[in-house]
Amino acid sequence: VSSVAFSYNGRTVAARPGDTVASALYRSGVRIFSRSFKYHRPRGLLCAAGRCPNCLMNVDGVPNVRACTTPVRPGMKVRHQNAFPSPEFDLLAAAQSFGWLMPVGFYYKTFTRRFVWKLVRPVIRRVAGLGVVPPEPAAADPHAYEHVARHTDVAVVGAGPAGISAAIEAANAGANVTLIEEQSEVGGCLRIEKSGAERLAELRGQLAAAGKIDLLTATRCFGHYEGGLLGLLQGILQVQRLIHLRARRLVVATGSYEVPLVFENNDRPGVMLSSAVRRLLHLHGLDLGRSAIIVGEEPDVGTIGQELRAAGVAVAATVAPADVVTVVGGRGVRALRTRQGEIACDLVVVCGPQVPDAALIAQAGGKLEWDAARRMFVPTQLPPGVYAAGRVLGTQALDQIIAQGREAGRRAAAHEEAADVPPPNVPAPPDFLPRAEAGKAFVCLCEDVTVKDLRDAVTEGFDHIETLKRYTTVTMGPCQGKMCQLASIGICAALTGRTMGRTGTTTARPPTSPIPLGALAGARHRPVKRTPMHHRHEALGCVWTDLGEWKRPLYYSTAETRQACIEEEYRAVRERVGIIDVSTLGKLDVQGRDAPKLLDKTYTNRLSDLKVGRVRYGVMVDDEGIILDDGTVSRLSEDRYFITTTTGNIDFVQQWLQWWTIGTGWCAHVTPVTGGFAAVNVAGPKARALLTKLTNCDLDSKSFPYMACRHADVAGVPCFLMRIGFVGETGWEIHVRADDGAHLWDALLEAGREFDVRPFGVETQRLLRLEKKHVIVGVDTDATSNPIGADMAWVVKADKEDFIGKAALARAQAKPPREKLVGFIMEESALPEDGAAIAEDGRPVGRVTSARYSPVNGTAVGLGWVPAEMAAPGREIRVFVRGAFARAKILADPFYDPEGKKLRS
Ligand code: FES
């Protein structure tokens, strides 16, 4: 009874309840579901379980969706991909005729000249590949994405007989349990295996009766991360939910899956895994053909043979894998040629090896070893807190699977060690090479890698499984090795004469299966931090920007355009006075007898000799000399400092300081006080005049010089004032109790009225500091920048006894840096974007990190990284601006007040 309809390549297809896109298409007569990556060979359903690349389609504008695991929704629009004009008749299949031109690694060797690569790149990209990224993803993608965080005592991955039993047992022992199943229903192998129904009904009943089990169906566990964090992707209708599940203990009951056998033309549509046949027969009631040949060994061939006959499919023959010569037929199976002769058929059922789905165990740090008797890599060591049960351990008998599940659940709930896993059997010589190999015998269906490709690569010297993987790209496609890893290891072992164990597996990394980028980027529930003056900014009509969790005014909307607003704020600071809310700066109170020692160790410059009442700029680097953070350090007394950090780095700097006190026995206490204080920077030629109206503190340069600090009352409230000048003008940074922040802000605006004071935002601040060539850590520097390259060598005191990063910086100072951060001024009227390329002879050699139009210079100025040999002052450089190269000149001095007179006045 058809109840829903959807469209496939513009035609309407009827579907039954419970259908996937693939099962409905198959019923409607579709046999070719895709074309292969390189040769455009026709491909049909192989695994019907979402593990191979054969049914990737575009669903509702989203590319690379697996049709065999996507439930049908009324009205959905499904299209083929990587074929022109259609999968049945694909002009791009001409690529098959040129296969000899494309041996393994051909583009590494052939397109070594840049101009040749430029010519062929668009052609290769057009012909090879999978789906096409939609031009307007946000508009085309019908999904909503969200992130959710959860906790559980015991997470059980896989709701087959082992997983259900583990969950029931753990829940009955009092644990909170989360049971995760990637299919839409529980049952695993019992859903598709003959005689499974009765046991499944029994287990379902027990599951319903057990308490505290949170069942997540249609949910894939794609990765195990540090600290027991599991990455789950739950797809329910149009919502894709990425769940961060923190589990105290993990039971892996992911079962096993079947993989293809390698023989010539093993990729023809109509060659199917026996597990796919079961799924399509028992779950979807499909008519799979008239006459089947089963390739495999007893008892598997006997069991699937009975099931096929019961479904009305004649079994023409059963053939041992070693006797297969080739599959006859192009767009479908016509016959199977064996060593004994050719037998007509329209379906070839492959009983392939079973592979324990042990990726999560490997990611968690478990060990897998080759078991020759069972012909599989089995887990032999489980990391602490991880348990396993069922087919993932290579166990086959149902009663034993259920018993193992119970035991794992019980131990997980009680936090006992996992039961011992049996040792593997002795290694035996592998036999993965096909007997005949005249045509194409595919190892990797995703990347069209054949046995011949592996043979050629091993001959060329890529005989380690990791180098073989990279050179041939075997296991690197959408299936991520699920279908091909075992065969590639077996063939590598056979070609090199090594055992399977010695050949080993490649490293297991998350995600185990593809995750939509939208899901990773999806909306998170994040805390928002507001400064004590937040509502004042809102009332002043600010435009917000997010800096980490903080909301900060980007600029105040006082003029027609953004540029006009920023220029107005800029002029206020340069000509009169401006105020900016800097409450988001990280603030730390460091106290104790050994506080000077701690700061000397963690900053590159010396802070133990800083006089009380003075401020110094400081930079922190790591062991490799890489810049971590910068800020000011004020000395309040002999054993007390007040530190400011960049907005995003407060937690890190606190932990960094605390980390370096561990084990030292030092008396040094680090207290975060960011939330306790509000802060305002008052800057400009009239800053002193404004502040004088609000305080009795003597602000004269003689008594309160540049880089000094004082406690004083401002606007009647106790404040801490630092005379610093990030924006290059006479200025004070005033820290005040958070509760008094709004009062201080109001008082400054009120008292500043006669000077036409203006609040200014982050964007204006960035322009002002850029004119002074002040670096913003994380904007102008990155994870490879050290102070020597960043033109801050003056902040490194090499004569200091020791500090973190000293050795690395000494090495950096001895050897000239490869790149340097320089200031440049544009010689043409062009404004580069942040990140624009800096070029020489038309080739990119560097990058702009910040660039803005500088009103005082009448042209754009910026900071950027260039090769050290180009960093000489006065050197002309070219910067890429809107499709062309514009001239600029490197300057050594700041672009504004190079001598710093204004700061000190
Ligand atoms: S047939 Fe759909 S993923 Fe294998």
Side-chain angles (χ1 to χ4, degrees), residues 90 203 311 358 546 589 662 714 744:
D90 179 15
L203 285 171
D546 291 335
D589 183 25
I662 293 171
V714 179
L744 177 68

Side-chain angles (χ1 to χ4, degrees), residues 22 44-56 66-69 276 483:
L45 296 184
L46 173 72
C47 73
R51 293 198 175 94
C52 77
N54 280 16
C55 67
L56 292 177
R66 284 189 161 89
C68 71
T69 50
M483 293 288 104

Side-chain angles (χ1 to χ4, degrees), residues 728-812:
E729 300 290 346
T730 311
W732 283 266
E733 191 169 286
I734 309 172
H735 293 258
V736 64
R737 273 185 347 124
D739 286 353
D740 293 329
H743 163 75
L744 177 68
W745 180 263
D746 292 344
L748 288 166
L749 283 181
E750 181 57 35
R753 204 182 286 218
E754 65 174 284
F755 310 107
D756 197 10
V757 65
R758 287 293 161 96
F760 64 101
V762 174
E763 184 55 31
T764 307
Q765 185 195 35
R766 287 192 171 167
L767 163 62
L768 293 160
R769 68 87 202 183
L770 186 61
E771 288 188 334
K772 289 295 292 175
K773 274 181 70 184
H774 287 153
V775 167
I776 298 184
V777 170
V779 174
D780 302 304
T781 65
D782 60 25
T784 62
S785 313
N786 66 39
I788 313 299
D791 199 20
M792 295 196 288
W794 55 271
V795 88
V796 179
K797 293 290 172 253
D799 58 345
K800 208 164 48 151
E801 192 184 320
D802 191 22
F803 61 91
I804 312 298
K806 182 178 179 182
L809 291 177
R811 282 196 301 275

Side-chain angles (χ1 to χ4, degrees), residues 520-557:
L520 294 174
R524 287 155 200 256
H525 300 285
R526 285 210 183 108
V528 171
K529 291 183 180 169
R530 299 188 172 113
T531 75
M533 290 83 103
H534 183 90
H535 298 293
R536 298 294 195 272
H537 306 315
E538 208 152 54
L540 288 164
C542 82
V543 173
W544 294 107
T545 186
D546 291 335
L547 286 179
E549 292 169 351
W550 287 100
K551 290 272 172 208
R552 288 197 73 182
L554 187 63
Y555 61 91
Y556 296 83
S557 189

Side-chain angles (χ1 to χ4, degrees), residues 147-231:
H147 282 228
V148 175
R150 293 193 184 194
H151 291 260
T152 191
D153 291 334
V154 178
V156 180
V157 182
I164 297 176
S165 309
I168 294 169
E169 201 70 19
N172 287 344
N176 283 316
V177 179
T178 305
L179 177 59
I180 301 139
E181 170 56 45
E182 67 174 344
Q183 302 289 328
S184 54
E185 283 180 42
V186 301
C189 60
L190 295 181
R191 287 179 72 208
I192 59 167
E193 273 171 19
K194 224 172 53 156
S195 72
E198 212 173 290
R199 293 303 286 271
L200 180 55
E202 197 182 305
L203 285 171
R204 273 202 178 120
Q206 291 170 11
L207 186 65
K212 292 196 212 153
I213 297 180
D214 192 5
L215 174 62
L216 306 176
T217 52
T219 304
R220 253 190 301 141
C221 179
F222 60 83
H224 178 280
Y225 301 85
E226 213 177 349
L229 179 68
L230 298 174

Side-chain angles (χ1 to χ4, degrees), residues 276-297:
V277 167
R278 276 196 182 103
R279 208 164 267 121
L280 299 177
L281 285 180
H282 303 322
L283 296 184
H284 303 293
L286 291 182
D287 178 4
L288 294 181
R290 285 189 304 279
S291 171
I293 293 180
I294 307 170
V295 180
E297 312 278 0

